[in-house]
Amino acid sequence: MNKKAIFANAAVVLGLSSVFSTEAFASTINEMESQKTTIQQEREELQGKISSANEEKKRLEKEQSSLSAQLERLKLAAKENEKKVADTEDSIKQTTKKIDSLQKDIDMLNEKLEERNQILAERAKALQEAGGSVDYVQVLLGSKSFSDFVDRSVAVSTIINADRDILKETKEMQDEVAEKQSSIKGKLKDLEAMKEELNGINEYLVEQKAEQETLSAQLNDKKSENEQQVASLTEQETDLSTQEQSLTDSIAAEKQREQEQKEAAEKAEQQVSIASSQTIAEKAAPAQDNDNENPNPNPNPTPKATVEAPAAKSAPAVSHSNVATVGNKWIGNSAYVFGGGRTQADINRGFFDCSSFVHWAYSQVGVELGPRGYVSTETLKRAGTQISATQMQPGDLVFFNTYKTDGHVGIYVGNGKFIGAQSKGVGIADMTQGYWKQKFNGRVVRI
């Protein structure tokens, strides 16, 4: 190849190198690098959203699990209370039969006493005609009723011993039957009140179950929506990842082409330099050694600074719960069962009534309020010292007249509120307004 050809080829190469200059390559690569950075930022944002969506999904699943457990607990509690209602209704029927039977006995007894009254009246009349004591006749004729006659007759000393014994025995029988009848009527009244409260509890449980099932359906909808959101975000993140990889490959290819072009330009420049040197050597002096160019030293990489992770903070110590707050663990995790909470099995399931919950709460802080199996509002109101309602402090027992006097008890927590096992389970209620304000009877007992 002659010198003219060498110069011509060099000119072509240098011309091409000017067309595909380093600046042009840099501009293209910079644009792709910028696009890649933008995609990476978008991916980071999407990954953050996906992480948040997954956390929300876990929260919803946990909430749904807790809700399902509460629903199952309410179903079991409803069955227990329905059984209590059935037992109470049966007791009411049995008590009613006893009252009817006793009433028949009393009616028969009154008939016999009326017959005896006639006999005694005849005897008193005969005694008067025979000139006997007038006291007997005055008792008979002065009595306002047969019961009054019996009461007065017992005290008259003129009645013969046989008559007096008969009257006394009859009165004792009548008093005993009347006392039993009064006792049974009182029991019947309590049972009817219990039935009314239990029916109210079951009605509340049905409403609560309906509300919980509605909430469960809402949670399912949210869960489904959350899963769709996670899937959509994941798909977007996958698309961006594909775009990022495509840009990475394009940048690498562009850099490779840039390197190849640069090497070709350098090679052409060397050929021009060699040809030029030969021409100059021919025209002038003997060839002179060309000085070697000093290679450019590679800069030493700057070591990355080491960032120490902050020291982990120790978790704050958990404060000891007192009797006013120890029961908070059962809020939303319990159900009201009339007569429940008197066995460990009931407690494990979160089944309480008002008095058993109070007993449990005090036992958690080391105070036993009598045998667990026999605790009631009656035993609790005698377990401490009654104080004025104006002196109430957290931990004091507060009583309410519900289906009976002192039919409900709770633990005062302050600010006009108390915690107790209500119809919907353990919860905190406001005793300064509404239902509980009306039912609070002013009884406060300090343990």
Side-chain angles (χ1 to χ4, degrees), residues 24-36:
F25 278 113
S27 177
T28 302
I29 293 174
N30 286 340
E31 289 177 0
M32 288 190 291
E33 292 277 9
S34 178
Q35 292 177 15
K36 181 179 177 181

Side-chain angles (χ1 to χ4, degrees), residues 264-313:
E266 289 177 350
K267 185 176 181 180
E269 186 177 357
Q270 288 176 0
Q271 290 177 350
V272 170
S273 177
I274 293 170
S276 176
S277 298
Q278 290 177 349
T279 302
I280 294 171
E282 291 174 355
K283 291 182 178 180
Q288 296 179 354
D289 293 335
N290 293 328
D291 293 333
N292 292 329
E293 295 181 356
N294 292 326
N296 293 325
N298 292 327
N300 292 326
T302 303
K304 296 183 179 179
T306 302
V307 180
E308 294 185 359
K313 296 182 179 179

Side-chain angles (χ1 to χ4, degrees), residues 326-330 341 344 347 352 355-365 367 372:
V326 71
N328 290 348
K329 62 174 284 187
W330 292 115
Q344 191 58 47
I347 294 174
F352 295 98
S355 51
S356 65
F357 170 75
V358 169
H359 186 281
W360 173 87
Y362 268 92
S363 70
Q364 299 306 295
V365 296
V367 178
R372 180 175 64 187

Side-chain angles (χ1 to χ4, degrees), residues 132-389:
S133 172
V134 297
D135 291 342
Y136 199 109
V137 178
Q138 290 174 346
V139 168
L140 174 62
L141 300 180
S143 60
K144 298 179 181 179
S145 64
F146 180 67
S147 295
D148 185 29
F149 167 75
V150 172
D151 290 337
R152 297 173 70 176
S153 296
V154 172
V156 177
S157 61
T158 58
I159 300 177
I160 60 176
N161 291 336
D163 291 340
R164 185 184 62 203
D165 291 342
I166 291 173
L167 289 170
K168 184 177 180 181
E169 181 181 353
T170 301
K171 184 178 184 303
E172 288 175 351
M173 290 174 59
Q174 184 181 21
D175 289 344
E176 182 179 358
V177 171
E179 182 180 353
K180 289 182 179 180
Q181 185 182 36
S182 176
S183 174
I184 292 176
K185 284 182 178 179
K187 184 178 180 181
L188 177 61
K189 184 178 179 181
D190 288 343
L191 289 173
E192 289 174 343
M194 289 168 60
K195 178 184 174 183
E196 181 179 356
E197 180 177 86
L198 287 171
N199 285 334
I201 292 169
N202 277 327
E203 289 176 4
Y204 189 92
L205 287 174
V206 169
E207 293 175 0
Q208 187 183 40
K209 283 166 62 178
E211 292 175 1
Q212 296 283 349
E213 287 168 357
T214 298
L215 181 57
S216 180
Q218 292 175 352
L219 284 172
N220 283 332
D221 291 342
K222 288 182 179 179
K223 181 180 177 182
S224 177
E225 181 181 349
N226 177 261
E227 289 174 348
Q228 292 176 3
Q229 182 184 15
V230 171
S232 175
L233 291 171
T234 301
E235 183 178 358
Q236 292 179 49
E237 200 276 337
T238 301
D239 290 343
L240 288 174
S241 177
T242 301
Q243 294 179 37
E244 181 183 352
Q245 185 60 48
S246 178
L247 281 171
T248 300
D249 294 342
S250 296
I251 290 171
E254 196 67 23
K255 287 183 176 180
Q256 179 64 28
R257 285 194 295 271
E258 179 186 9
Q259 182 64 28
E260 290 174 354
Q261 188 65 41
K262 182 178 179 182
E263 290 175 354
E266 289 177 350
K267 185 176 181 180
E269 186 177 357
Q270 288 176 0
Q271 290 177 350
V272 170
S273 177
I274 293 170
S276 176
S277 298
Q278 290 177 349
T279 302
I280 294 171
E282 291 174 355
K283 291 182 178 180
Q288 296 179 354
D289 293 335
N290 293 328
D291 293 333
N292 292 329
E293 295 181 356
N294 292 326
N296 293 325
N298 292 327
N300 292 326
T302 303
K304 296 183 179 179
T306 302
V307 180
E308 294 185 359
K313 296 182 179 179
S314 58
V318 179
S319 60
H320 179 70
S321 298
N322 58 30
V323 72
T325 58
V326 71
N328 290 348
K329 62 174 284 187
W330 292 115
I331 297 176
N333 297 306
S334 58
Y336 184 96
V337 174
F338 199 94
R342 285 161 180 77
T343 64
Q344 191 58 47
D346 274 358
I347 294 174
N348 292 341
R349 293 188 295 174
F351 289 172
F352 295 98
D353 64 10
C354 60
S355 51
S356 65
F357 170 75
V358 169
H359 186 281
W360 173 87
Y362 268 92
S363 70
Q364 299 306 295
V365 296
V367 178
E368 295 297 331
L369 300 179
R372 180 175 64 187
Y374 299 96
V375 64
S376 67
T377 54
E378 291 298 315
T379 63
L380 290 176
K381 73 181 184 182
R382 295 192 296 270
T385 304
Q386 186 167 338
I387 62 172
S388 170

